[in-house]
Structures are given as C-alpha cells and as structure tokens.
Amino acid sequence: MKISITDICSLVARALEVDSSIITAETKASEVELWDSLGQISILSEIDKMFDGVTERCPALASANSVREIFDALYDAV
Amino acid sequence: MRLFSIEAISSILGERSIDIAKDRPVFAPAIDKTGIAVVHETDGTAADLAVRAVTDVARQKSGIVDTLDAMIVVTQSSEMLLPSMAFEIQDRCRIHKGVMALDVNQGCSGFVQALQLAVSSLDWAESVLIVCADRYRAKLRPSDRSTNSVFSDAATATLISRRPSLQIVASAHHSDGSGRPLLFQSHKSDINEGRLHMAGSDVWLFTKRVVFNQIERLVNSCDLTLADIDAVYLHQASELVLKGLRAQIGDRTSVPSELKDVGNTVSSSIPILIENRINQLTEQISVLCGFGVGLSASSLLIRPSRLN
C-alpha cells in the first residue's frame, strides 16, 4: 500500500480533530496544542484503523513527534 | 482449587467532583477520547478515603474488625515511607491487633494481584480485606490534559472469605521492569519535578501488545475460547484503551465500563466495576484483568464454584 505525506496530514488532523489546514508535512507535535500524549494515542488509534493494526509492528510510532516522523515510520511498515 | 466469596465491596470517590466540560473547558475536547466526563478529587489523604471504605464494609459485615485475618492494602499514595498505610488503617478502623496487615506497592494491576494473594491466603485465613487507595490527582501536573482528564482519587474495600462461591481457575501475570520509565513518579523533586510521568502512547501500545494476548492465552489454557467467557472486567484506563481491547475481545463477551462519571481510579477501578455486579459474577465465567504501572498486566479466570 502506497502512502503519501498528504494522507498522514489528513490522518493527524482527523485524529486531533483540528482543521486540516493546520497540519502540514512540516508540522511537529510541539506546535499543536492538542498533539499531547492523549493526542498521540488518538493518532495511533487512527493509524491502526487505517492500516490494520500496524502500530503493533511499528513501536517507533509511539514516539514519532512530527508528521514527517510518522510518515517515515509508516512508509516501510505498510 | 481456590474457592472464595466476595462478601462485600465498598467504594469511596474523592469528595470534589470535577465536571471536565464545565470546570476545565480547556480539557473538554478530551472527553470523547477518554470517555470520562467527571473526575473526583480529594483534599484529604488516600488513607482517609480508605478508612471510609473500610468503615462502610465493617458496617455491612458487623464484627469483621474483630475477626479479620489479613488486610492487603494496594496503594502508591502513602503519605509515609514507613510504616505502611495498612497500619494507619488498622489503627483508625480499630481492627484487632491479630490481623496481618501489609501494603502492596502496585498500580492498576494491583487489585487482581491482591485478589490472587488473598485467595491463596484462605488456606490459613477465614477472611481477607483488600483495600485499594490512591490519590493520583495530587501527583499530576495541572496543565497535563492527558492525566488530568483521566485520573480520579478513590478507595475501595473488598472483603474476601473462604465461603465457596467462586473459584480462580487460572491466572496469568506479566511484569516488565524495562517499562519503568514509561509510567513513574519519583520521591526526588529533581526528577520530573516529583510529578507523575506517563508516556501515554507507549503504555497504550503495551496494552495492545500484551493485555489481549494475555487474556486470550489464559482463556485458551482452560480449554475455552473467548466466546465461552461471559464477561471481561478490565481496568478502566480510558475509552481509547477499552475500545481497542473491546474490538479484540469481540461482541460475544460483555466488557462492562464505569468510566464516564468515575474516571480512572487506578487499582480501585475493578472493584468499582464489580461492586454492583457481584451477583452476575457468581453466575458467570469471567476474566478480571488489570494492567499498567511496572509495566504489568495480571488476569484471573473466575467461575462459579458450583460448576466444579
């Protein structure tokens, strides 16, 4: 399955329930108030929904603190 | 063969209810994710809550303070390094001095582990009281949405006796100390300012990796499948965690929840969950499962003793 950085931006915005214009390929967790520990779990949960439980195979996602890091961690796993 | 009965459960929540939407509007977006609308905080100590829970059980079961054989106090909120909280409760509740009283330093797995210890003690004890008491809200950073919108202060007292009503058929435990940095609080103020640290996403992944597998293996070890289990009583961590586990466990097994108006009460969450379901427990094949600090997970498969 091919993923794009745009897919990840949409996924993060959906999980955090923020306007999609806020999340870009360069967005870091520290720049978005709702991207805290709870937000990170929401993102992981959304990733699991979209990519069929991939988080169990990809523990690096737990500490992926930017859109780019999530994309990189997921790219080889899906 | 481990036969026992749950004679009484009493639960006490922190006296101040915090309606997250109303009282902490900045945390309100978390409610849909945590499933928790109200948390409870106390200005007293965890021992104060515990004394109220024990007093209530003593009111329900008169004479127990004079005959109790053992009291296991599960807490991570002692005001004192020594002696343990169990001695404060023994003294304040006027429990007779012939009781064996001790603390177990454990979090959300603590009730399940204490229940296994309590039932094992019934070889020599007639009755054992499990007290769970924590005041986690005093450990939190006020600005930390992930923990402030989840944890409640609470205590429970659960009286176990030798009367044959239930049976522990099998147990499973997981203790992984390499997860210590993911959920901790230090006595030293220079380590995370002495506040609770919870790496929520790592702990969430731990529950996904370990907890369901533990439950499934436990059930299979008894030549059963999950479809044979009437109910799984999970530690009430948060809706995000429960939702994931519920999906793995499947629709045929009941997975009750008491999160919305209670919050995550650490080791008290399972006793609070079963407090109003003791009768169901004596009619069902059930799994009790606690998980968290350590990192740890513990599960017991329980069934009515009449099914022997």
Side-chain angles (χ1 to χ4, degrees):
Chain A
M1 183 176 184
K2 283 269 182 210
I3 55 164
S4 69
I5 196 100
T6 316
D7 293 333
I8 303 304
C9 291
S10 310
L11 182 152
V12 169
R14 200 163 54 243
L16 299 179
E17 297 178 56
V18 298
D19 194 288
S20 56
S21 63
I22 293 174
I23 308 295
T24 70
E26 308 313 320
T27 301
K28 297 184 174 83
S30 56
E31 297 163 352
V32 183
E33 194 186 352
L34 292 175
W35 194 340
D36 56 7
S37 172
L38 193 61
Q40 185 79 2
I41 299 173
S42 303
I43 292 168
L44 296 182
S45 181
E46 196 66 29
I47 288 171
D48 264 352
K49 243 193 296 181
M50 198 162 162
F51 301 107
D52 195 24
V54 69
T55 57
E56 286 182 62
R57 308 194 297 274
C58 203
L61 283 166
S63 52
N65 288 321
S66 68
V67 168
R68 184 68 62 185
E69 283 180 36
I70 292 174
F71 176 75
D72 289 343
L74 270 178
Y75 191 80
D76 292 327
V78 298
Chain B
M1 198 66 65
R2 300 289 184 198
L3 302 179
F4 70 103
S5 172
I6 299 175
E7 299 291 347
I9 300 180
S10 175
S11 62
I12 301 291
L13 296 170
E15 66 278 2
R16 195 169 51 258
S17 300
I18 300 168
D19 181 323
I20 291 169
K22 201 171 91 202
D23 302 328
R24 302 278 197 282
V26 70
F27 297 154
I31 296 172
D32 282 347
K33 301 178 194 310
T34 61
I36 296 167
V38 179
V39 291
H40 303 268
E41 192 166 285
T42 186
D43 291 329
T45 65
D48 292 339
L49 296 173
V51 165
R52 290 174 58 200
V54 172
T55 302
D56 190 50
V57 163
R59 188 188 49 75
Q60 293 176 49
K61 297 286 173 188
S62 61
I64 195 66
V65 293
D66 299 319
T67 58
L68 192 65
D69 294 306
M71 176 168 63
I72 301 170
V73 178
V74 181
T75 185
Q76 297 185 314
S77 302
S78 250
E79 299 285 311
M80 306 289 288
L81 287 174
L82 62 105
S84 61
M85 191 189 289
F87 290 91
E88 182 179 348
I89 297 169
Q90 177 270 327
D91 184 41
R92 290 175 62 185
C93 294
R94 297 171 194 270
I95 295 170
H96 73 112
K97 291 174 185 163
V99 71
M100 183 182 79
L102 53 89
D103 278 14
V104 170
N105 180 335
Q106 186 52 289
C108 307
S109 307
F111 175 76
V112 175
Q113 295 173 350
L115 181 59
Q116 175 131 54
L117 293 174
V119 173
S120 301
S121 304
L122 295 177
D123 288 346
W124 60 270
E126 293 278 349
S127 58
V128 182
L129 189 64
I130 301 170
V131 180
C132 299
D134 269 301
R135 189 186 172 219
Y136 259 41
R137 293 196 66 78
K139 306 174 187 288
L140 311 180
R141 282 177 199 278
S143 59
D144 184 354
R145 180 180 77 129
S146 306
T147 51
N148 270 279
S149 57
V150 167
F151 287 112
S152 280
D153 300 333
T156 54
T158 305
L159 183 62
I160 306 298
S161 86
R162 201 184 267 180
R163 185 170 62 85
S165 167
L166 293 164
Q167 175 188 6
I168 295 177
V169 182
S171 61
H173 303 280
H174 178 98
S175 301
D176 180 4
S178 72
R180 299 187 322 280
L182 302 176
L183 187 45
F184 71 87
Q185 182 198 15
S186 174
H187 286 298
K188 296 179 181 168
S189 59
D190 57 341
I191 300 176
N192 199 40
E193 296 172 359
R195 300 287 189 174
L196 182 90
H197 170 77
M198 181 170 76
S201 47
D202 290 286
V203 176
W204 182 81
L205 277 180
F206 167 80
T207 64
K208 284 205 62 170
R209 277 201 317 271
V210 171
V211 175
F212 174 72
N213 287 339
Q214 179 180 87
I215 292 171
E216 192 175 43
R217 278 203 308 273
L218 175 73
V219 169
N220 293 343
S221 74
C222 301
D223 294 325
L224 298 169
T225 68
L226 279 165
D228 299 314
I229 305 300
D230 297 301
V232 177
Y233 296 97
L234 294 168
H235 162 57
Q236 303 290 288
S238 78
E239 183 56 24
L240 273 167
V241 173
L242 293 183
K243 200 169 145 189
L245 288 169
R246 221 179 269 128
Q248 290 175 294
I249 290 166
D251 295 339
R252 295 176 66 178
T253 304
S254 163
V255 183
S257 173
E258 292 279 356
L259 267 173
K260 188 171 172 235
D261 297 318
V262 176
N264 176 338
T265 54
V266 195
S267 59
S268 285
S269 78
I270 294 177
I272 287 173
L273 192 59
I274 62 176
E275 182 178 7
N276 295 317
R277 296 179 172 92
I278 295 178
N279 288 341
Q280 285 164 251
L281 211 59
T282 57
E283 299 294 324
Q284 296 175 332
I285 302 177
S286 312
V287 171
L288 308 185
C289 175
F291 48 86
V293 181
L295 299 176
S296 64
S298 286
S299 297
L300 300 178
L301 195 148
I302 289 171
R303 70 178 186 185
S305 56
R306 63 179 168 72
L307 295 182
N308 276 332

